[in-house]
Amino acid sequence: EVENTKYVFRDCAVTKELWQKLDFVWPPLDREKLPSRGQEIERWRLLEGSNLKINFDVAFNKQENTSCSRIMVRDSNGGVLGSKTVLNRNVPSAFAAEALACAQVVQMGLEIYLSTVEVEGDSLSVINKSQSNGVDKSEICGSIKDI
């Protein structure tokens, strides 16, 4: 088949097997983009030169010290290529949950052999710490080191 984005990420037997091992879920074929919620879809932009963008967000339950990481991979047109939800246990804070989700995104990108990808999350502190060359001594130092 023609090796377009749909084939490489959705139809190729090798990548299908990899997605299954990673517990990665494809959206239905008749739904190429996320539902629009006003201006939110307009704010999404892929950096020039990037092919894919992986967004992540987290829900944190303080009483149970659990978090849920939601990861979404989109192509240069904003089309959803796949998504994954990860339940995390023994998470000490919302700050740690954000760092853990970012590390999960980076690890997933490595596992599926992405050479160029833009990662986006809503925790400026985690993003800044992950881009810093300094030694991190905060509660998220393990995740920052992994990132």
Side-chain angles (χ1 to χ4, degrees):
E1 283 190 50
V2 176
E3 289 194 4
N4 58 23
T5 304
K6 181 182 175 286
Y7 173 78
V8 171
F9 286 98
R10 193 175 212 134
D11 298 333
C12 175
V14 174
T15 53
K16 279 183 179 181
E17 182 181 342
L18 182 60
W19 293 132
Q20 187 176 21
K21 286 180 182 179
L22 294 172
D23 192 30
F24 207 75
V25 179
W26 288 100
L29 284 173
D30 61 345
R31 187 178 165 196
E32 289 298 317
K33 295 191 185 280
L34 289 174
S36 177
R37 289 192 287 160
Q39 302 218 338
E40 282 188 39
I41 198 74
E42 293 174 18
R43 286 193 321 228
W44 187 91
R45 299 229 193 302
L46 189 68
L47 287 179
E48 193 171 318
S50 295
N51 295 323
L52 298 175
K53 183 173 187 177
I54 304 178
N55 296 86
F56 68 93
D57 203 2
V58 173
F60 177 69
N61 183 325
K62 185 177 181 177
Q63 287 75 27
E64 296 183 16
N65 286 356
T66 59
S67 70
C68 182
S69 304
R70 180 70 171 161
I71 301 167
M72 179 127 350
V73 180
R74 295 192 273 177
D75 64 18
S76 59
N77 296 316
V80 178
L81 297 176
S83 64
K84 183 176 184 176
T85 302
V86 181
L87 181 61
N88 306 293
R89 300 185 192 285
N90 301 317
V91 182
S93 67
F95 186 44
E98 289 282 350
L100 178 60
C102 188
Q104 290 166 338
V105 166
V106 171
Q107 181 62 40
M108 186 183 73
L110 292 171
E111 288 172 357
I112 59 175
Y113 303 104
L114 296 178
S115 60
T116 304
V117 66
E118 179 183 350
V119 176
E120 181 180 76
D122 61 1
S123 176
L124 185 58
S125 296
V126 171
I127 301 296
N128 287 340
K129 284 180 176 288
S130 67
Q131 293 176 340
S132 171
N133 291 328
V135 177
D136 185 73
K137 295 182 181 180
S138 70
E139 71 173 313
I140 64 169
C141 64
S143 292
I144 295 302
K145 185 176 178 182
D146 288 345
I147 293 166

